[in-house]
Amino acid sequence: MLDTGFHQAAGLQSLTPQTELRVLAVASQEQAGSGLETLWQICASLQRMGYPVVVLDATGYETDESPGLYHLLRRAPWHDGMDQGAAASSLAVIPAARGLWQISRADRPAHVSPLQDIQPCVRAYSILVLHAPPPLLGQLLTHTRTMPLMVMEGAAAGVLTTYKSLKQMAQHTGLSCTVAALLRGSGTAERRKTLAALQTLQDCAERHLGGQVHTTAVSTQNPQDLQRLALQLLENAGTINGTMAAAAAIASSNFAGIPAAAHLLRSH
């Protein structure tokens, strides 16, 4: 395994009661597929551990027929129903493309997090999961210590796509990410190929982005792997009320900065 930055006590630490809403982030992919499936499995694991979870999904657009975050921010009549939803066993998934882009572009003092506009809408939940493209996540997480998750598939092609997303995140926030490579089978050859791809990604991130990437290989057939990933994300979650100083401290130990003429990853 190429896991870095975590330890065996992560699960116990992340079960410590929290007084603030925890913010998790999962980067969306251009083509929904395994990454989306992994997101739902992570959320299901968190709910089984007793955490009411709400997902703001920037891949879904709000409409009058399918209201979402945009309507919540405008204090739509069904806003109060969110409180009852937190007690339900089903996962709350809210279309949020318009709403998230709106708060990311709003004028506010530099010390105020964009996510503070959301807090009144999700006050009944203990975990907020942002599912959005890397450039948007970068703008939303400027004040948090949240370490976003990126799901990687497809060896060489997956390295190229994931590196592009890491670069976009680093340009906006300097935050490092967790990259989870999915293993479909249990064969030694597949695992060896996947670990080699993760090592290539780590080397490129260190060389061209100036920081380390936390990586892990996750078997989609092993529920324990998915639960472990959920606990890692929870341990590395931030809060809405984080400060710029806290985020900067994390950034300084991850992506130190990108040169003005950043190199592009080439095929290996």
Side-chain angles (χ1 to χ4, degrees):
M1 287 291 209
L2 294 176
D3 295 2
T4 58
F6 304 111
H7 49 79
Q8 292 181 338
L12 295 177
Q13 287 184 341
S14 53
L15 293 176
T16 302
Q18 300 294 329
T19 57
E20 289 190 87
L21 179 72
R22 305 303 298 273
V23 180
L24 278 64
V26 179
S28 62
Q29 300 172 321
E30 292 183 4
Q31 306 219 344
S34 301
L36 196 58
E37 178 184 347
T38 303
L39 168 63
W40 305 142
Q41 291 172 322
I42 289 171
C43 292
S45 292
L46 292 170
Q47 292 206 156
R48 284 194 293 270
M49 288 185 274
Y51 295 98
V53 179
V54 58
V55 179
L56 296 183
D57 184 12
T59 67
Y61 282 84
E62 307 92 319
T63 65
D64 290 339
E65 293 73 26
S66 180
L69 180 61
Y70 176 78
H71 300 84
L72 287 174
L73 294 172
R74 294 164 63 89
R75 300 299 186 266
W78 57 274
H79 175 273
D80 291 339
M82 290 287 292
D83 291 342
Q84 288 73 37
S89 58
S90 59
L91 176 64
V93 181
I94 302 173
R98 294 174 66 190
L100 289 177
W101 280 112
Q102 175 182 304
I103 67 170
S104 72
R105 294 169 177 168
D107 292 330
R108 58 175 55 84
H111 66 279
V112 177
S113 167
L115 296 178
Q116 289 195 359
D117 293 347
I118 297 174
Q119 194 158 25
C121 304
V122 294
R123 61 183 181 272
Y125 295 86
S126 60
I127 294 179
L128 166 65
V129 180
L130 300 173
H131 181 233
L136 177 55
L137 278 184
Q139 296 177 53
L140 295 172
L141 298 177
T142 51
H143 293 64
T144 80
R145 299 168 64 100
T146 297
M147 183 180 292
L149 171 69
M150 295 182 183
V151 177
M152 186 179 86
E153 280 195 288
V159 171
L160 287 166
T161 301
T162 305
Y163 176 81
K164 177 182 176 181
S165 297
L166 289 172
K167 180 180 175 182
Q168 290 173 327
M169 189 71 68
Q171 286 176 321
H172 285 285
T173 64
L175 290 175
S176 184
C177 300
T178 296
V179 176
L182 302 183
L183 294 169
R184 292 296 174 188
S186 56
T188 303
E190 181 190 3
R191 177 171 290 274
R192 186 184 302 113
K193 186 176 181 180
T194 298
L195 295 182
L198 287 175
Q199 186 63 62
T200 297
L201 182 66
Q202 285 183 329
D203 293 343
C204 291
E206 184 174 354
R207 185 181 309 116
H208 301 308
L209 301 181
Q212 293 185 335
V213 176
H214 304 275
T215 62
T216 185
V218 176
S219 172
T220 58
Q221 309 302 318
N222 188 344
Q224 291 183 340
D225 271 11
L226 293 164
Q227 184 179 38
R228 173 177 56 83
L229 180 60
L231 288 171
Q232 289 174 353
L233 293 176
L234 190 56
E235 185 191 13
N236 289 279
T239 61
I240 285 180
N241 295 318
T243 64
M244 287 293 284
I250 290 295
S252 66
S253 63
N254 292 305
F255 290 129
I258 301 177
H263 297 285
L264 296 177
L265 181 64
R266 294 178 171 83
S267 299
H268 286 72

